[in-house]
Each structure stands twice: as C-alpha cells, then as structure tokens.
Amino acid sequence: MGRVTQAMRTNWKPILMVALSSLLATISNAGFGFWLFAWVAWVPLFLVLKTVSNWKRSFWYGYMFGFIQYAATFFWVALLAPFAETGNMLTNWLITCSGFVAMCLYLALYPAVLCAFIFPIWHKQTVREPNFLFITSLIFKPAIIWTGLEWMSEWMLSGFPWTSIGYTQWPNLPVIQIASIFGVHGVSFILLLFNSLMAVLIISKWKQHIAAVVLPSIIIVSSFVFGVVELKRSIETTDQVRVAIVPGNIRQNEKWKPKNFSSIFDHYLELIEKASTKNDIKDLDLDFVALPETAFPRPIFTRLPNTYSHQLQKFQRKREVNLLVGAPHYTYEKKTKDGKIIRKAYNNVFFLSWDGRQLGSYAKTHLVPFGEYVPLMGLLPDLIQLPTGFTPGSEYSTFPVPNHSDLRMGVAICFESSFPNLVRQFTLKGANLIGILTNDAWFENTPAPKQHFSMAPFRAIENRVPVFRCANGGYSCIIDGFGRLITPTIQPENTEGLLVYEIPVAADVELTLSTRWGNWFPIFCFLSGLFQLALQSRFWAKRVGKA
C-alpha cells in the first residue's frame, strides 16, 4: 500500500509541474499582464523533462502544457458562439466550442513537438558527465527549435501568430528593440534561451563548464543593452502628420443590426465633427480622420449614389476633412461560361478626400478562417448553414498622406496586424506610416483586445515607423517607431473618446533588417532544427544498429 501511494505521489508531481508552467505561461500574456513570468514559465516543464524515460512521455507532457495554456489564453474563442450564424443557437455553440477545442488540440502540438525533439538531451539517462558541447546544446536547442516552430504556426493552416511568446514582452521596451533585426521571434528566442538557462543551472553541473553558461548569458544581456542604446537614439523626422483617431466603440451585438445603421452613422459624424474642431494641435487643419474596420457596416461606397454616401460627402466638404474608414464593399462579376452574375464581398478600407475624390482603397488580404470565410465550405453538411463570407484582396495598396507629398501610408485590417511578414509589405512599398484599423468588439470583456493590441508595438519596431491604431471595442492609440505609446489610450468602453495628435514621421528612414529580410531568423532556426533532427536520427540509428 505504501509503494502504491508513493507511486501515485510520484506520478502527480510532474503533472502539477506541467500545470504550473501552463499557468505561468498563460498569465504572462497581455490581458493578464504578468509579463515577467514569461522568463521562468517554461522552467518547471523543462525540469519535468529531465525525469522522463522515453520521448512519448516527453511529447505528452509538452502536449498537456500546450493544451492547458492555449485553452486558458484563448477561451474567448468559445464565447463567439452568439455570432456564429449557423441557423440556431444549439449549432452555434456546437460549432464554436468544437472549433475552439480543435484549435487548442492543434496548437498544443507545437510545444509537444518541442519536448519530443529535445528529449534525448534532457532525460535523466542521457545526462551523464556533462561537457561544453552538451551543456551548450542543452541551453540553445529549446530556443532554436521553438523559434522555428513559432514561424511554422504563423503560416500553417492559414496561420495563428498569437501563440508567439515574444508578444508577452510588449511593455518591456529595452528587450523588444531587437525586433528591428530579428522580429518578434527574436524576442521569443531570448525568452526560451533564458528559461532553458535557468533549468540548466538547476539540474546540471554547469560549474564544470562555465563557458557554456557564459555564452547564452552574454547573448541575453546584449539584447537588453542593445535595447537601452536604441531607445536613446532618435530618428530625425521630416513631417508632422495631423491625425484624429475616432474608434466609436459600438458594441458588437448592436453593430450589425440593420435598424441601427443610421444611429451608428450619425454617431461617427458627431465624433468626426468634434475631432475636427478639437484644439489640441494649435488650430491647424487635420490631415485626415481615421475610423475603425467596418465602421460603416454597410457597403455605402458604391457606383450608385445613396443617401449615406451623399450625406458623408456633404459633411466632408463642409468640414474639409479627409477620411480613412472601413466598410464592406461588393463587386459584381460575370462568369464566362453561363453568364451568371456573381457577387464578391470584400473587407475594405477607403481613403476619401474632402472634395469627394477617392484617394485609394485596400481590401483585406488575410482573412480570418470561419470568421470571414469558411474553409472547405462544400464539405460541410446541410445541417450547418454558414455564410460564405469575404473574398481576400490581391495586393498591398498604400495611400498618399494629404498635405505631405513625400509620405505614403499602409493600413492593416484587424487580424492582418498579427502577421509581421504581411505588415512589412507596406513598408517595402514605401509606407512611412502604418495604420491598424480593427473591430475587436467581438471579444468584449475578455483578454483578446489587449492581446491583439500587444502586437502593434512590434510592428512599429520591426519597421521603425510610427503606428496608429483605431479599434472599435479595442485599444486605440499612437505608437512611435520604438514601440512607445506617445498618446493616451482610448479604452474599449469609451464610446465618446477620440485622439487628435501630430505624429512625427520621417520621409527617409533606412529599412530595418526585419523589414528587408522578413522572417529570416526564425527560418534560420527552423532549418537548423531540421539539420539537428537529421543528425539526431542518424545517431540513434547507429546506436540501434550497434545494439
């Protein structure tokens, strides 16, 4: 009986350690706000891996860690059920909760693969007399593999970059400056490197090979020093762009009701008028006013005149205000074979001049699966009636900035702002200023809007350009090229809030390494991981052959 009880205690200990890691990883995310815990969140998990006897158990501990963490971090996905539009509330909850569980089961594969991959050097039977190469591999391997896996998660199955642990550090300005070279994944690398270093200091006789510990310590400290130096540097600006941010903050359950469109339209006009007369920028005229994604939840910018577009043009002429606004847009195309007319819907941003001209438009290129389009729609049973959704845009359009002939502006719509490689396309096309227009009202009273917001400072640092964020039901603000908030933040519940500010912009800024080469660092880590896997497989094959 005593042996059974002892065995049960022994089995529960690693599970509790894994759960502790999951808890620390969860609360380190934006929305919970304890970002310091990200520096030690993985340590209990790594300590557990030292005790396992085979790679399968290592895999399942990693899977448990991932599933608990992602279920706790992204629980808000399940709360989207009321907006699912499947036909009835039962299938709404069935489809949404099933999708949520499936998403967590999928995302948990990434930490599971990491744990299985590093098993040979972490389990207790391999840890004999350590040498320099062994300790070095022990410390660096988790960081290299995880960084490569994060890159995979950014594009696999349409991509879900929210799992990048680098985003936890958005308030930690010195550390995240390395994103201008390595991107957000470089910050993830530093975090995993520190976690594995801490675990090694606990479990290994590292003092016999101090050089192996010194190298990662220097890298970690250097990243911090680099950030401190960068934050003291200034970018010489050439222009002051006068912008008003008007989020409106309409609740999601009211936004799409047809009967509410008129009141929503009037609400935004009132806020625009208030912004255009606000005296925060020395009585100078605004260059433009920004409204959020689908601020007008009806396609009013069509070839055919309508009451609302006419009223808006009249208002713009009277106030001489340029308007950047999100709205759905429809196009009608004729099929070549049967001549049937098909309608395509786009999630658009329009840039409208005060005199009625359209300065440009951009259609969202990376849509949200199941939110804006349904993958494999033809395979779903008739019981599940889902809307077909939007069509993705085909190019990364940039806009001129009124009154600043030497400037261009790129605008990412909602989910797009979480993709570093997408946002940098605007900078490569000459954008000196990046806008993020989003509708985060889907996730009212959850950590999701803050998690989404935490990505904006990284897009600014990666491209070293200022970013303005206009979010319905989210966090609206302006961020400089170093990731610093330079304005107060409009909170999600503030329906009357607005910002009027002069954004310092540089017309000629040298492209960062992150802008020029994109995800070069995580790709390098991914290829390094494949190379290590090949060597590891060869080693075990020889070992099995000798046995």
Side-chain angles (χ1 to χ4, degrees):
M1 185 67 181
R3 290 182 179 180
V4 173
T5 304
Q6 182 62 36
M8 291 178 64
R9 289 176 181 172
T10 303
N11 290 335
W12 275 108
K13 183 177 179 181
I15 293 174
L16 292 175
M17 293 278 281
V18 171
L20 175 61
S21 266
S22 299
L23 173 64
L24 294 175
T26 297
I27 64 176
S28 66
N29 282 287
F32 300 98
F34 300 97
W35 56 269
L36 275 172
F37 286 127
W39 292 89
V40 294
W42 295 65
V43 173
L45 175 64
F46 290 155
L47 296 181
V48 168
L49 297 185
K50 178 183 178 293
T51 68
V52 300
S53 57
N54 60 73
W55 71 268
K56 292 181 180 179
R57 181 163 293 185
S58 183
F59 176 91
W60 285 114
Y61 280 141
Y63 199 83
M64 185 191 307
F65 163 77
F67 185 84
I68 295 173
Q69 180 201 166
Y70 297 134
T73 303
F74 305 129
F75 70 89
W76 40 264
V77 172
L79 303 182
L80 293 174
F83 309 114
E85 297 182 5
T86 62
N88 63 73
M89 190 55 68
L90 177 63
T91 53
N92 277 2
W93 281 101
L94 177 64
I95 293 296
T96 306
C97 291
S98 297
F100 167 65
V101 172
M103 181 189 77
C104 295
L105 290 172
Y106 159 68
L107 293 175
L109 288 171
Y110 290 95
V113 169
L114 169 68
C115 291
F117 203 117
I118 64 176
F119 161 75
I121 60 170
W122 278 86
H123 79 298
K124 63 181 180 181
Q125 293 177 347
T126 305
V127 180
R128 299 187 179 92
E129 286 300 320
N131 56 49
F132 172 80
L133 289 177
F134 176 79
I135 295 294
T136 301
S137 179
L138 204 63
I139 297 171
F140 278 93
K141 198 169 185 178
I144 293 172
I145 302 303
W146 179 253
T147 304
L149 289 171
E150 273 197 355
W151 171 72
M152 277 189 65
S153 72
E154 195 174 296
W155 54 265
M156 184 73 75
L157 300 179
S158 179
F160 191 70
W162 291 47
T163 57
S164 175
I165 63 173
Y167 290 124
T168 64
Q169 300 304 296
W170 74 269
N172 191 354
L173 287 173
V175 167
I176 66 176
Q177 298 307 311
I178 62 171
S180 65
I181 301 174
F182 305 102
V184 64
H185 301 297
V187 181
S188 299
F189 178 89
I190 293 297
L191 285 169
L192 255 292
L193 189 65
F194 187 85
N195 274 271
S196 56
L197 175 61
M198 291 297 101
V200 166
L201 293 179
I202 295 172
I203 68 175
S204 179
K205 299 177 182 178
W206 58 271
K207 292 182 180 179
Q208 297 176 11
H209 301 279
I210 191 70
V213 175
V214 170
L215 179 60
S217 300
I218 290 175
I219 292 174
I220 294 166
V221 172
S222 296
S223 68
F224 180 82
V225 172
F226 172 82
V228 171
V229 173
E230 279 290 279
L231 288 170
K232 292 181 179 179
R233 184 170 70 89
S234 61
I235 297 176
E236 186 175 345
T237 58
T238 58
D239 297 77
Q240 299 287 328
V241 178
R242 300 178 291 275
V243 60
I245 308 295
V246 181
N249 290 329
I250 310 296
R251 296 187 67 184
Q252 188 64 22
N253 59 357
E254 300 294 330
K255 183 179 178 70
W256 294 97
K257 292 179 180 178
K259 67 177 183 179
N260 293 337
F261 182 83
S262 181
S263 61
I264 291 173
F265 185 84
D266 291 340
H267 176 64
Y268 277 113
L269 291 193
E270 290 171 6
L271 289 176
I272 294 170
E273 182 165 11
K274 182 179 176 183
S276 63
T277 57
K278 197 172 171 66
N279 195 28
D280 285 7
I281 52 174
K282 305 172 185 176
D283 293 323
L284 296 174
D285 292 333
L286 291 169
D287 291 320
F288 65 91
V289 175
L291 271 57
E293 174 193 19
T294 59
F296 300 146
R298 181 187 294 182
I300 66 172
F301 304 116
T302 61
R303 292 181 181 179
L304 298 176
N306 60 76
T307 302
Y308 291 106
S309 63
H310 177 73
Q311 185 180 346
L312 183 63
Q313 286 182 12
K314 184 178 178 181
F315 175 87
Q316 285 186 260
R317 286 182 183 276
K318 179 182 178 181
R319 284 295 177 190
E320 294 189 0
V321 62
N322 304 304
L323 186 63
L324 181 71
V325 57
H329 181 60
Y330 295 154
T331 63
Y332 297 87
E333 302 174 8
K334 183 182 292 186
K335 281 188 174 180
T336 54
K337 292 184 179 180
D338 54 12
K340 183 180 179 182
I341 302 296
I342 60 171
R343 187 185 77 176
K344 290 186 176 180
Y346 296 89
N347 188 346
N348 260 48
V349 166
F350 295 92
F351 202 10
L352 309 172
S353 172
W354 68 271
D355 57 7
R357 292 177 297 119
Q358 189 176 115
L359 299 176
S361 68
Y362 167 69
K364 188 175 183 180
T365 59
H366 197 122
L367 302 176
V368 181
F370 299 101
E372 293 174 314
Y373 77 102
V374 181
L376 306 175
M377 179 66 181
L379 300 180
L380 294 175
D382 292 338
L383 172 67
I384 304 169
Q385 299 295 327
L386 294 175
T388 54
F390 291 103
T391 300
S394 58
E395 59 180 322
Y396 302 101
S397 306
T398 61
F399 304 134
V401 179
N403 307 318
H404 302 273
S405 59
D406 52 347
L407 298 183
R408 302 289 296 182
M409 173 174 61
V411 178
I413 303 175
C414 193
F415 189 50
E416 292 183 324
S417 67
S418 61
F419 293 89
N421 198 53
L422 188 154
V423 174
R424 80 181 182 97
Q425 302 303 322
F426 298 117
T427 314
L428 289 173
K429 285 201 166 189
N432 319 94
L433 175 65
I434 297 294
I436 297 173
L437 306 189
T438 182
N439 176 32
D440 290 343
W442 302 90
F443 314 109
E444 185 178 3
N445 298 321
T446 75
K450 198 60 174 286
Q451 291 170 8
H452 193 193
F453 159 78
S454 70
M455 302 172 187
F458 285 89
R459 302 297 88 85
I461 295 169
E462 287 160 355
N463 299 281
R464 282 288 185 243
V465 297
V467 168
F468 65 89
R469 195 172 193 274
C470 185
N472 181 65
Y475 295 86
S476 301
C477 60
I478 298 172
I479 302 165
D480 73 3
F482 294 92
R484 295 174 292 214
L485 273 68
I486 56 177
T487 65
T489 301
I490 301 177
Q491 300 297 311
E493 64 277 1
N494 187 352
T495 59
E496 300 295 326
L498 54 88
L499 286 173
V500 179
Y501 196 79
E502 287 185 294
I503 308 176
V505 181
D508 256 333
V509 177
E510 184 180 355
L511 295 179
T512 66
L513 199 62
S514 184
T515 299
R516 290 198 301 266
W517 292 2
N519 285 325
W520 71 271
F521 181 67
I523 293 174
F524 170 78
C525 290
F526 180 77
L527 295 176
S528 298
L530 290 180
F531 179 71
Q532 290 179 50
L533 178 61
L535 291 180
Q536 194 169 293
S537 300
R538 187 176 179 183
F539 169 78
W540 284 106
K542 285 184 176 181
R543 187 169 179 179
V544 171
K546 289 180 180 179

